[in-house]
Amino acid sequence: MKLQRMNRRALALGALAVSGALALTACGSDETGNPGGGSSNAAAPSNIKCDDASGQVLADGSSAQKNAVDAWVKQFSAACKVEINYKAGGSGAGVTAFTQGQVPWAGSDSALKPDEVEASKKICSGGQGIDLPMVGGPIAVGYNVPGVDKLVLDSATIAKIFDSKIKNWNDPAIARLNPDAKLPNLKIQAFHRSDESGTTDNFTKYLIATAKKDFPYEGGKAWQAQGGQSAPQSSGVAAQVKQTAGAIGYFELSYAKDGIKTVAIDTGADKPVEATVDNATKAIAEAKVVGTGKDLALKLNYGTKADGAYPMVLVTYEIVCDKGNKADTLPAVKAFLRYAASEDGQKILAENDYAPMPEEIITKVRTTVESLS
């Protein structure tokens, strides 16, 4: 009897071992840069340098980069004993949470303003908040017009649509840019962000830079133009566009999913420019670093007319203290940002409809991340 019990126990342990191996294999097969799984050429988690990172890190900010952060977190958490909880409540919420000391890093589609830098000095002991450009990409203008599969708009027309000066899809200004389209007599439903957003900031910076006469506003994270409807976060605007006939809205390309069509922009180049990662990268390559010291804030060229350069772009910054980071979160934050800025981390961006940073810029980011203290 004793021998039989030992044999049964051995068989049970063997079955558990096989089951565990199958479970590990299943998990490993889905360790990709895509939030929903699937194939990816991203680096295996074993390539990620964890250092002494451990515990939990809370962060908040830009919803524009949420899909990118999700992809990074999936890889990073598989390699390091760290739980990253990124709330993605919007750039305004993220900056506020950072300057109030609620989170050790935040994401924002706009660089810190002088008063925000000053506020950060209270929580960055002996230092201040800095901007690290980590994610790029096109701001897509998505639309839902039955029977219209391709749509071209220029900045003046986009400005008038979002300022309620053009109200119907068969307006002569739209028809002039789309002579072959069958534009319906349908009311335009323009959606903008309800929360303070770096996406709004960059979208309006483009309109102000290229169509100031038709968009006479100061710009910023809060929406200022007249009329329209609002929705929270990029996901909310995209959802409204998808379900509303006649709708148009702006959001990052990664949110233009499930059949949402996007506008090609007439920039004055040889032909209208589509919202693609490659076309956004061409525009971001013209950016200049205007930050001082370790701050790497960029100035984008929204008015580019270069062939194939999609001008309506944004760059998402990871905001962190250059000095005076909290000892309990610094190892995890530093390891995570190191991975995000790495060649493997940047490679994941293109797989998720984002644009990697140009090499000249991301090299400076990597050096700065290593100097965080």
Side-chain angles (χ1 to χ4, degrees), residues 72 132-136 289 296 298 316 337-343 345-347 349 355-369:
W72 284 334
L132 301 179
M134 201 78 80
V135 181
V289 175
L296 298 175
L298 303 176
T316 295
L337 294 180
R338 178 190 294 121
Y339 167 61
S342 71
E343 183 178 345
Q346 289 290 295
K347 189 177 180 180
L349 296 179
M357 288 293 99
E359 191 62 28
E360 181 182 350
I361 294 172
I362 201 64
T363 298
K364 294 177 181 178
V365 172
R366 290 166 185 158
T367 299
T368 303
V369 168

Side-chain angles (χ1 to χ4, degrees), residues 217-266:
Y217 301 98
E218 294 180 1
K221 294 178 182 177
W223 184 255
Q224 298 172 347
Q226 302 300 307
Q229 302 178 62
S230 64
Q233 281 87 51
S234 293
S235 57
V237 175
Q240 289 297 327
V241 170
K242 182 182 177 182
Q243 69 187 24
T244 308
I248 188 170
Y250 59 91
F251 37 78
E252 296 66 43
L253 183 62
S254 64
Y255 289 92
K257 302 293 187 184
D258 302 326
I260 295 178
K261 301 178 181 68
T262 59
V263 169
I265 299 180
D266 183 347

Side-chain angles (χ1 to χ4, degrees), residues 305-344:
K305 295 182 180 180
D307 288 341
Y310 185 84
M312 198 186 301
V313 296
L314 61 75
V315 168
T316 295
Y317 300 96
E318 310 314 322
I319 295 172
V320 65
C321 297
D322 59 352
K323 289 189 263 185
N325 288 280
K326 294 180 180 178
D328 58 337
T329 55
L330 176 60
V333 170
K334 193 169 181 177
F336 180 73
L337 294 180
R338 178 190 294 121
Y339 167 61
S342 71
E343 183 178 345
D344 295 320

Side-chain angles (χ1 to χ4, degrees), residues 183-225:
L183 299 167
N185 182 14
L186 179 66
K187 183 181 177 181
I188 293 174
Q189 308 279 354
F191 286 90
H192 57 264
R193 289 281 289 272
S194 60
D195 53 318
E196 287 200 356
S197 160
T199 310
T200 294
D201 191 15
N202 285 276
F203 178 65
T204 55
K205 279 179 180 176
Y206 165 73
L207 295 178
I208 291 167
T210 58
K212 179 65 175 176
K213 183 181 73 171
D214 299 301
F215 201 80
Y217 301 98
E218 294 180 1
K221 294 178 182 177
W223 184 255
Q224 298 172 347

